Amino acid sequence: MSKPIEISNIRIEQDKGKDRRAYIANFEEPVQYGVHGGVKDFYNVSVEEEHPSTLDHIVAAAGG
């Protein structure tokens, strides 16, 4: 079996509501996750600031 080329080292911290921060090894700034648009409507939540959802990042990664 070959050696892994990368092992993800990520820590997730919950902010208020649906917001959370992902700290990814070797990156200084965290990635902000939250809700917006249809996701916000689906969960019936109001937020002070909209952020991309985890679904947005999955779709972007698959497309890239």
Side-chain angles (χ1 to χ4, degrees):
M1 180 183 258
S2 62
K3 294 181 182 180
I5 59 169
E6 178 68 13
I7 297 175
S8 295
N9 184 356
I10 301 170
R11 182 180 85 243
I12 307 292
E13 290 184 359
Q14 183 75 37
D15 282 340
K16 55 187 170 181
K18 297 281 184 192
D19 292 342
R20 47 218 178 281
R21 291 169 280 155
Y23 291 89
I24 303 169
N26 302 317
F27 290 90
E28 214 169 291
E29 297 296 320
V31 177
Q32 291 287 135
Y33 290 103
V35 294
H36 67 96
V39 176
K40 183 178 70 171
D41 296 341
F42 177 81
Y43 285 109
N44 196 29
V45 294
S46 61
V47 294
E48 292 178 26
E49 186 176 352
E50 295 186 352
H51 294 286
S53 68
T54 51
L55 178 60
D56 295 315
H57 287 265
I58 291 168
V59 170

